[in-house]
Structure formats: structure tokens, C-alpha cells
């Protein structure tokens, strides 16, 4: 006995020692990474204030083996520039010493970029518990080609694949053409390209996100449906496949394409300096080793040439050009290549402003906007300027998230937010840009959130991107997650579940005490309500799930089954009561219970209907219907008891209402199943592609 105790005490002591040891070890690590002798590659943020410092910074970034993240080229470094510089571990000491001697203050933006990179390339699909969808991960070039094929096959009615050319290393350049099922004469078109710059991984991720969202929500969501019915959308997911591949295999920081020539040992041309818009003037470089090398002549690069050829041959239909880049959070429009204002500057400014405002309102995120030359830097040869001069007078370049916190190494957990906010901007610009007049018959999508009250409710629901039920394991894996903006957990679905649960218990008690068919039906329905609320919480459990048509359909199908089951119970009980000629007993207690539950259920149902309408979610509307039925049942008890009091002949009202409601629920459940089962089958491959 004593020895056992002793052993226990010793064990605890051991544990304590171990704990202290571990704490000390971590402390040591912390101290070590705090100074500049990190063994890891880092990204530094350096504040340049004087012209002298700018000179020094330009020298450092060009003479040492570093990669300039921001600005794109040393020549854009001036006094008052915040420079983001990637420094490999072996150069870190030298570079930071230089910074110190020249009184350049710096901050470590990212330590251990290797780990971040590893996190981005990890194939999570192997983990079945992973709750992230295909679209919340980054994908290799091979995966993306596979996805293009698969998407076109599964949506052959809406998607066509067009081969517009090939890259320098002879990889195909595929464009997805999305069109609604409505034929309209003289259709306008929108062009979106992603992945001009290899290291900007969020850009191709956005193109994939955009395509899946459009296909899933066609005929589900008014603005997407209108957008696709009124115009064809050409999506080039990866404009620079060679460079993109290179960032996966060799150098994550690569920007240009992979072309080479005999004149130089350096590889790559900046595709966004290779277009014929003041080509290779100030803001581009004619040195092949530079990051903003403009190439040998305009459209010398096969990737730029292919895009230019395609747009030239479609310039009558394409009214809107969008090019997706990162990072910096900006909505830019021409010109980049000159300080001149374009003729419709005011209109483009307004469009960008409105889009930025929506992002701020919906996602609490700030995007800068304006003409490129004044907003970032003077840069000639860009695709947006060229497209503008071709006659596409709605031409934009988006710089997606973030503003430098992770830069090009934006963790996968940020993909959904970055894409959703950009999608909002695309929808906003497309709605007005597609027609010259603010609102004409060709396209004036009636946006579901035009009513401010509805929008406020939607924001409320959208804000907590993870409601907690499916809290994903990968969030824990993400480093520095403590510094991520914390999303508040939303108590409202939980509250709804709690309230209905109490009502259900109360109603069950009442129904057995008072032998009321309606009370029994109500009780069952309240229980059902709890279940359906849980299903709806699951449906919206994370940002990607919000856009998952598959989840929507599964939720509805499960609700259908639940509806059928409960309708059978309600019918059974009601018919039994009618057959045995059960008389409703009446007293104050019964009255108050029915009033309270009826009112609560009706309020809940109104709330759910409103949300469901705003989010165009059938699952939510169904859930609202469910609550409404609960409310009706509550009042039914009240009414039938009241009627019975005045006219004892009418004893069957409660039972009859029970039968009626049972039949309605049954019909609704069957309809849900009939509608949803084929759709669940259709969409089941969406989220697990590989
Ligand atoms: C550059 C140009 Cl040339 C343009 N027309 N629009 C935007 C930019 C900025 C991007 C670039 O290519 O440097 C930022 Se990644
Ligand atoms: Zn870019
Ligand atoms: Zn909205």
C-alpha cells in the first residue's frame, strides 16, 4: 500500500520535472527565434524612409540572393516604401547586419517559411477526417488539369473546354467557357485569367472557386443565374503553367514564365509586362534576369500571345476583362502604363469603389482601389491596359489577400475568405459592367440582398465562418493561428435548438397528460425541429460548406426522411385519438403552454424563412416550414379546446388537424426526397475530387 503511494508521488514529481523542462525548452526556442540567427528562411518587412536607404535597399535586393516580394521590382523602391523581402537562411546574417549598419528598421514578417510551404503543398485529401473541401486547398498543375477535365465532363451542358494555345514548355492553355442554359442572341462575355504570376497561388485557387461556385449556384442563386444567362464567362485557370509547375517543384518564389533565349542565362519573362501597352517603357526591364523583364518584343511569350489572340478574336463579345493577382488587396483598373486617366475613369472608379465597399461591409476587409499607376506603381505591358486599348472598357486587375502578413504564402485556411470576397467584387462589377446602362433588360440581376434588413441578417449568419460543430482539425495545425482574426462563435442556432428542445419536452408531457393528438404532433415536430436545426448548423458549419451545393442537397434529403417519419407518427396518433373518440381536456395550464409554444415557433419560423430567402437555401426554408408547422400545432390545441368548450359536439377538431398536418408533412417530405436524391447523386463528387 505504502509503496504504491510512494510510487504515485514519485510519478507526479517526475511529471512536474518534465513539465518544467519542457517549458524551459520552449522558452529557449522562443529566445532563439527572437534574434536574427534563425536557421530558417524568413520574410522581412523593412521600412525605408530616406532616398539613401532606398538606394541601399535596391542594392541589397539585387546583389544578395533574396527575393523581393513587394514591390515587384527594386526600381519601385523609393523613400517611404514598405519593402517585403524573402531572405534564405544562409544569407540572413549578412542581410540583417547590412540593415542594422544602415539604420533600416526591420521586422520579421514570416519565420520558417519552409513550414508554411510544406503546409500549402500537403495533400490533405488522404485524410478522411479533413473537413476542408477541394477548393480550400492549393493544387498542383496536374491536379488542376484533371479538375478542368472532370468539371467539363460533369457539366457538359454548361462548360466547354477551349484550347487557346500552349506554354513555352508546350503545356496546354485551357479556357473553360461557362454559359447558362438560356440562349440569348448577341451574348456578351466576361474574361477572367488567373495565375499570370507563378507564385501567386491564391489566384488559380480563385479561378477554381469561381467556376465551382458558378456551376453549383446556377439556378439556385439569382445573381449567379442572371450573370450566366446574360453572358458567357471565359476562365483561364492558369495562364502561366510552366511557372506554376516550377513553384511546386523547385522554387516557390518564382514569378515569371520559364522561357529562355541564347542571349542570356537567365530564365523567364514577366507575362504582365509582355503585352503591347507602352511595352517595355519605364516600370519594366529589358534585362532578362530581372523580375519584371518585358521579353524580346510584345507578345514574344506564347502564353501572352495565346491570350491576346483569343481576346482579339472575341473582342466583339467580351465586355469585361479581369486579371487575378496577389497580394495587396487592391482593385485596379487602367492605366498602369501611364498616368493618364482613361475616358471612363469615373465609371471604373465607381465600380471599384462599390465592390470595395461591399467587401468592407460583408467581410470587414479593406481593399484599395484606383487606377494602377497611381495606386501601386507605373508599369507598362500589362494585360489589363492592353485589353482596355483593344476596346474592353471594363478592365480590372485584382490583387487578392493579404496585405503582407503571409504574402504569397497565404495558408490554405484563408482561401475561402479570400475567394468569397473577390467573388463578391466580381459579381458586383459584372452586374453593372455587363450593361452600359446601370440597369437594362439584358442584365439587371435582382440581388437577393437588396433589402438592408435581409442583408443584416445574412451578415450575422455569415460572420462566424465556423459554427463549431465541424471545427476542423487543420486549424490547429496552422502555425500562428493565435494571431489569426478570431471569429466569434454564433450562439443563435444553439439557442434555437435549446428552446425547441424545452418545448418538445413540455409538449410531450402535455400530450401524454392531456391526450391531445395535436400536442403529440407538436411535440414530435418540436423534436424534429431540433434535428433539423442541427442539420442546418452542419450545413453552414464552415465557409466552404456555405457554398456547397452538395451539403445543401444532403441536408434537404435528410430533412425529407425526418419529415416522413414524423408525419407517420402524427398521423398514427391522430387517427388513434379519433378512433377512440378521445375528448380534449381543457385547463389554464394547457392554454398557456399552447400559446407560448405557438408564438415561439412562429417567431423562429419567420427568422428562418428570412435567412433562407437571403441565402437562397432550401434547407433553411424547409427548417422554417418545420417551425411553422410547430406553431400551427400549438395553436391547434388552443383552438380545438376552445371550440370544444363552447360546443361539446365538436370533439374531433384536434384529431382532424393532426391528420391534416400529418398529411402535409408527409407530402412535403416525399417531395423533398424526390427532388433531392438525384441532386445528391449528381453532386457527390464535387467535394472529393481526387
Ligand atoms: C501591373 C501591371 Cl503592368 C498592370 N497593368 N496591372 C497591375 C500590375 C500589378 C501586378 C504586377 O504585374 O506587377 C502586381 Se503582381
Ligand atoms: Zn501578379
Ligand atoms: Zn451580399
Amino acid at each position: 500500500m505504502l509503496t504504491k503511494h510512494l510510487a504515485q508521488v514519485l510519478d507526479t514529481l517526475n511529471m512536474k520535472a518534465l513539465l518544467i523542462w519542457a517549458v524551459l525548452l520552449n522558452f529557449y526556442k522562443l529566445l532563439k527565434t527572437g534574434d536574427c540567427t534563425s536557421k530558417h528562411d524568413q520574410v522581412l518587412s523593412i521600412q525605408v524612409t530616406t532616398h539613401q536607404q532606398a538606394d541601399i535597399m535596391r542594392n541589397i535586393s539585387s546583389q544578395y540572393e533574396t527575393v523581393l516580394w513587394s514591390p515587384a521590382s527594386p526600381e519601385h523602391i523609393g523613400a517611404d516604401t514598405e519593402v517585403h523581402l524573402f531572405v534564405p537562411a544562409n544569407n540572413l546574417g549578412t542581410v540583417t547586419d547590412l540593415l542594422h549598419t544602415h539604420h533600416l528598421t526591420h521586422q520579421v514578417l514570416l519565420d520558417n517559411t519552409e513550414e508554411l510551404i510544406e503546409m500549402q503543398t500537403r495533400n490533405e485529401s488522404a485524410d478522411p477526417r479533413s473537413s476542408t473541401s477541394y477548393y480550400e486547398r492549393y493544387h498542383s498543375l496536374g491536379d488542376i488539369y484533371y479538375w478542368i477535365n472532370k468539371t467539363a465532363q460533369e457539366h457538359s451542358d454548361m462548360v466547354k473546354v477551349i484550347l487557346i494555345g500552349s506554354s513555352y514548355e508546350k503545356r496546354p492553355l485551357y479556357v473553360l467557357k461557362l454559359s447558362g442554359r438560356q440562349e440569348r442572341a448577341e451574348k456578351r462575355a466576361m474574361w477572367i485569367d488567373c495565375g499570370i504570376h507563378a507564385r501567386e497561388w491564391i489566384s488559380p485557387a480563385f479561378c477554381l472557386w469561381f467556376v465551382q461556385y458558378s456551376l453549383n449556384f446556377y439556378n439556385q442563386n439569382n445573381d449567379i443565374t442572371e450573370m450566366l444567362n446574360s453572358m458567357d464567362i471565359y476562365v483561364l485557370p492558369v495562364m502561366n503553367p510552366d511557372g506554376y509547375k516550377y513553384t511546386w517543384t523547385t522554387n516557390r518564389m518564382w514569378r515569371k514564365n520559364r522561357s529562355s533565349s541564347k542571349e542570356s542565362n537567365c530564365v523567364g519573362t514577366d507575362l504582365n509586362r509582355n503585352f503591347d501597352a507602352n511595352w517595355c517603357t519605364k516600370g519594366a526591364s529589358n534585362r532578362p534576369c530581372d523580375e519584371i523583364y518585358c521579353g524580346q518584343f510584345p507578345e514574344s511569350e506564347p502564353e501572352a500571345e495565346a491570350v491576346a489572340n483569343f481576346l482579339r478574336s472575341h473582342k466583339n463579345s467580351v465586355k469585361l476583362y479581369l486579371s487575378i493577382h496577389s497580394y495587396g488587396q487592391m482593385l485596379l483598373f487602367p492605366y498602369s502604363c501611364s498616368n493618364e486617366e482613361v475616358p471612363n475613369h469615373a465609371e471604373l472608379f465607381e465600380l471599384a469603389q462599390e465592390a470595395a465597399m461591399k467587401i468592407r461591409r460583408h467581410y470587414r476587409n479593406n481593399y484599395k482601389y484606383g487606377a494602377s499607376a497611381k495606386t501601386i506603381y507605373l508599369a507598362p505591358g500589362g494585360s489589363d491596359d492592353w485589353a482596355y486599348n483593344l476596346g474592353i472598357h471594363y478592365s480590372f486587375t485584382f490583387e487578392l489577400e493579404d496585405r503582407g502578413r503571409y504574402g504569397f504564402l497565404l495558408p490554405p485556411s484563408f482561401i475561402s475568405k479570400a475567394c468569397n470576397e473577390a467573388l463578391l467584387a466580381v459579381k458586383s462589377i459584372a452586374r453593372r459592367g455587363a450593361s452600359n446602362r446601370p440597369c437594362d433588360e439584358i442584365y439587371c440581376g435582382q440581388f437577393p440582398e437588396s433589402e438592408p434588413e435581409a442583408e443584416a441578417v445574412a451578415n450575422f449568419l455569415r460572420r462566424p465562418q465556423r459554427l463549431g460543430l465541424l471545427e476542423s482539425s487543420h486549424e490547429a495545425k496552422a502555425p500562428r493561428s493565435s494571431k489569426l482574426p478570431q471569429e466569434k462563435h454564433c450562439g443563435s442556432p444553439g439557442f434555437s435548438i435549446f428552446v425547441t428542445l424545452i418545448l418538445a419536452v413540455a409538449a410531450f408531457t402535455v400530450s401524454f397528460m392531456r391526450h391531445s393528438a395535436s400536442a403529440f404532433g407538436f411535440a414530435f415536430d418540436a423534436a424534429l425541429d431540433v434535428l433539423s436545426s442541427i442539420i442546418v448548423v452542419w450545413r453552414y458549419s464552415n465557409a466552404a460548406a456555405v457554398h456547397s451545393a452538395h451539403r445543401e442537397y444532403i441536408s434537404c434529403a435528410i430533412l425529407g426522411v425526418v419529415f416522413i417519419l414524423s408525419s407517420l407518427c402524427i398521423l398514427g396518433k391522430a387517427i388513434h385519438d379519433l378512433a377512440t373518440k378521445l375528448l380534449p381536456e381543457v385547463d389554464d395550464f394547457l392554454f398557456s403552454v399552447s400559446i407560448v409554444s405557438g408564438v415561439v415557433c412562429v417567431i423562429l419560423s419567420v427568422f428562418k424563412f428570412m435567412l433562407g430567402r437571403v441565402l437562397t437555401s432550401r434547407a433553411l426554408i424547409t427548417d422554417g416550414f418545420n417551425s411553422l408547422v410547430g406553431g400551427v400545432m400549438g395553436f391547434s390545441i388552443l383552438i380545438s379546446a376552445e371550440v370544444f368548450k363552447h360546443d361539446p359536439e365538436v370533439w374531433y377538431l384536434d384529431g382532424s388537424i393532426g391528420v391534416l398536418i400529418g398529411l402535409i408533412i408527409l407530402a412535403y417530405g416525399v417531395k423533398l426526397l424526390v427532388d433531392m436524391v438525384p441532386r445528391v447523386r449528381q453532386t457527390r463528387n464535387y467535394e472529393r475530387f481526387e
Side-chain angles (χ1 to χ4, degrees):
M1 194 62 193
L2 197 75
T3 45
K4 204 177 158 195
H5 263 282
L6 210 69
Q8 255 171 13
V9 168
L10 277 177
D11 250 18
T12 355
L13 277 179
N14 253 335
M15 283 294 284
K16 271 195 184 146
L18 232 117
L19 250 158
I20 291 167
W21 179 235
V23 167
L24 283 178
L25 216 81
N26 271 323
F27 215 58
Y28 171 71
K29 263 199 208 154
L30 203 79
L31 284 173
K32 254 190 81 184
T33 47
D35 74 39
C36 302
T37 55
S38 166
K39 300 189 296 304
H40 300 296
D41 303 346
Q42 289 187 341
V43 177
L44 306 180
S45 170
I46 302 142
Q47 190 55 51
V48 174
T49 39
T50 66
H51 289 284
Q52 250 177 332
Q53 288 182 328
D55 280 341
I56 289 150
M57 226 20 256
R58 280 194 289 268
N59 280 340
I60 293 177
S61 70
S62 46
Q63 277 166 21
Y64 292 86
E65 188 204 318
T66 59
V67 182
L68 199 54
W69 272 23
S70 175
S73 160
E75 70 189 64
H76 297 306
I77 301 175
D80 244 351
T81 313
E82 190 186 321
V83 174
H84 297 166
L85 189 69
F86 171 83
V87 188
N90 58 318
N91 276 329
L92 208 54
T94 333
V95 170
T96 47
D97 283 351
L98 269 167
L99 293 177
H100 283 306
T101 40
H102 296 284
H103 306 287
L104 279 150
T105 49
H106 77 273
Q107 225 186 318
V108 179
L109 268 184
L110 293 176
D111 184 37
N112 197 353
T113 56
E114 299 96 314
E115 192 181 297
L116 266 177
I117 293 171
E118 199 273 327
M119 202 176 75
Q120 293 186 323
T121 49
R122 184 164 38 214
N123 195 352
E124 284 185 313
S125 62
D127 179 4
R129 283 172 312 156
S130 159
S131 69
T132 60
S133 76
Y134 183 87
Y135 299 95
E136 291 176 289
R137 279 174 268 138
Y138 294 113
H139 294 280
S140 66
L141 188 65
D143 275 13
I144 293 177
Y145 278 129
Y146 180 78
W147 172 87
I148 290 174
N149 223 329
K150 183 124 181 158
T151 304
Q153 270 173 20
E154 281 177 358
H155 299 269
S156 50
D157 53 336
M158 290 179 70
V159 182
K160 273 207 188 90
V161 181
I162 306 170
L163 181 70
I164 64 160
S166 55
S167 67
Y168 182 83
E169 291 172 350
K170 297 285 175 279
R171 293 192 176 85
L173 297 170
Y174 290 125
V175 166
L176 292 172
K177 180 187 182 185
L178 314 180
S179 358
R181 298 185 194 108
Q182 254 180 44
E183 278 309 320
R184 287 188 195 179
E186 223 194 303
K187 236 182 185 178
R188 293 152 186 270
M190 166 162 81
W191 166 279
I192 305 179
D193 59 57
C194 293
I196 285 191
H197 290 136
R199 62 193 176 186
E200 297 160 12
W201 281 13
I202 187 64
S203 168
F206 172 76
C207 267
L208 268 56
W209 187 280
F210 178 83
V211 169
Q212 69 100 24
Y213 186 94
S214 301
L215 296 176
N216 282 353
F217 279 83
Y218 182 71
N219 276 351
Q220 293 271 324
N221 174 302
N222 284 340
D223 44 343
I224 289 291
T225 310
E226 260 311 300
M227 187 163 84
L228 282 167
N229 281 341
S230 64
M231 51 190 185
D232 294 329
I233 304 177
Y234 298 105
V235 181
L236 172 55
V238 190
M239 177 159 161
N240 176 12
D242 302 344
Y244 188 68
K245 171 115 191 162
Y246 194 68
T247 58
W248 274 78
T249 56
T250 317
N251 178 0
R252 177 65 182 82
M253 304 306 162
W254 192 256
R255 166 180 166 101
K256 304 186 281 181
N257 75 347
R258 295 292 303 162
S259 70
S260 57
S261 71
K262 288 168 221 107
E263 276 97 80
S264 167
N265 287 328
C266 285
V267 172
T269 295
D270 184 350
L271 294 177
N272 213 29
R273 299 291 181 280
N274 192 236
F275 286 82
D276 200 1
N278 291 3
W279 178 79
C280 221
T281 53
K282 188 176 183 312
S285 161
N286 55 11
R287 292 181 301 268
C289 298
D290 289 356
E291 291 282 34
I292 52 172
Y293 174 51
C294 59
Q296 292 184 312
F297 50 88
E299 293 171 32
S300 60
E301 306 310 299
E303 298 88 352
E305 189 193 11
V307 170
N309 280 340
F310 184 86
L311 288 174
R312 267 191 289 267
S313 66
H314 291 75
K315 72 174 179 186
N316 289 332
S317 60
V318 177
K319 302 293 174 201
L320 232 142
Y321 174 90
L322 295 178
S323 190
I324 311 296
H325 290 250
S326 79
Y327 59 94
Q329 298 181 192
M330 286 180 262
L331 308 178
L332 306 166
F333 52 85
Y335 284 118
S336 252
C337 61
S338 111
N339 282 312
E340 223 180 293
E341 277 187 2
V342 291
N344 63 339
H345 175 90
E347 193 185 2
L348 296 182
F349 187 86
E350 219 176 274
L351 281 175
Q353 185 173 48
E354 191 183 329
M357 197 184 71
K358 285 188 178 164
I359 293 177
R360 186 161 57 241
R361 269 218 319 256
H362 283 86
Y363 296 94
R364 310 219 167 123
N365 208 1
N366 282 323
Y367 271 62
K368 278 204 240 170
Y369 50 89
S372 302
K374 287 172 197 146
T375 313
I376 23 173
Y377 36 67
L378 198 63
S383 60
D384 51 353
D385 284 2
W386 175 84
Y388 186 90
N389 290 340
L390 183 71
I392 306 175
H393 290 157
Y394 296 91
S395 176
F396 293 88
T397 292
F398 286 8
E399 297 276 357
L400 305 191
E401 283 197 17
D402 54 12
R403 284 163 118 159
R405 174 76 192 80
Y406 292 100
F408 302 119
L409 300 180
L410 194 72
S413 53
F414 287 70
I415 293 176
S416 63
K417 177 160 173 292
C419 289
N420 277 331
E421 64 193 21
L423 188 78
L424 189 64
V426 172
K427 283 195 289 189
S428 169
I429 287 174
R431 178 163 60 137
R432 284 231 273 135
S435 68
N436 295 330
R437 281 154 288 162
C439 192
D440 67 8
E441 75 283 358
I442 295 172
Y443 182 48
C444 188
Q446 183 214 335
F447 274 57
E449 281 166 25
S450 41
E451 298 82 2
E453 314 85 57
E455 170 143 16
V457 180
N459 288 343
F460 177 66
L461 190 94
R462 210 179 282 112
R463 191 176 43 164
Q465 299 213 320
R466 296 180 188 279
L467 293 179
L469 262 196
L470 276 186
E471 202 88 59
S472 70
S473 53
H474 87 145
E475 207 124 77
K477 281 183 255 158
R480 295 160 190 276
S481 57
S482 59
K483 290 189 183 163
L484 312 182
Q486 279 293 307
E487 287 137 0
K488 276 193 195 146
H489 283 243
C490 174
S492 108
F495 180 70
S496 159
I497 292 172
F498 181 70
V499 167
T500 17
L501 200 63
I502 289 184
L503 286 180
V505 171
F508 267 121
T509 321
V510 171
S511 84
F512 283 115
M513 272 165 50
R514 317 279 156 173
H515 307 291
S516 157
S518 288
F520 181 76
F522 169 74
F524 227 95
D525 196 66
L528 235 163
D529 222 19
V530 176
L531 230 158
S532 64
S533 293
I534 292 172
I535 293 166
V536 168
V537 169
W538 169 74
R539 157 107 188 64
Y540 289 102
S541 58
N542 67 43
V546 172
H547 303 288
S548 159
H550 190 56
R551 272 201 189 190
E552 170 80 13
Y553 299 147
I554 288 186
S555 309
C556 286
I558 297 174
L559 286 176
V561 173
V562 170
F563 269 47
I564 291 173
L565 284 179
S566 62
S567 72
L568 294 180
C569 292
I570 294 170
L571 276 175
K573 172 78 174 148
I575 290 169
H576 167 264
D577 285 1
L578 285 178
T580 55
K581 217 175 162 185
L582 209 69
L583 302 180
E585 291 172 57
V586 209
D587 65 16
D588 290 347
F589 175 69
L590 191 75
F591 265 58
S592 41
V593 166
S594 340
I595 289 176
V596 169
S597 46
V599 168
V600 168
C601 279
V602 168
I603 290 173
L604 275 179
S605 78
V606 167
F607 185 66
K608 285 171 183 173
F609 276 134
M610 263 172 70
L611 276 184
R613 213 190 69 106
V614 165
L615 297 170
T616 51
S617 161
R618 186 151 171 190
L620 251 173
I621 289 174
T622 302
D623 195 20
F625 174 70
N626 203 12
S627 295
L628 188 68
V629 166
V632 170
M633 299 272 240
F635 287 124
S636 148
I637 304 170
L638 194 80
I639 292 166
S640 55
E642 190 67 21
V643 169
F644 181 68
K645 205 159 68 180
H646 292 288
D647 184 359
E649 289 285 285
V650 192
W651 55 270
Y652 47 82
L653 199 60
D654 196 18
S656 313
I657 293 177
V659 170
L660 192 72
I661 296 229
L663 286 177
I664 293 175
I665 295 185
L666 182 67
Y668 197 68
V670 170
K671 183 166 160 34
L672 267 177
L673 269 186
V674 169
D675 283 358
M676 291 304 149
V677 166
R679 297 198 193 186
V680 169
R681 273 210 213 110
Q682 258 173 26
T683 55
R684 80 184 147 204
N685 293 324
Y686 278 31
E687 275 142 298
R688 300 230 178 269
F689 255 103
E690 290 125 324

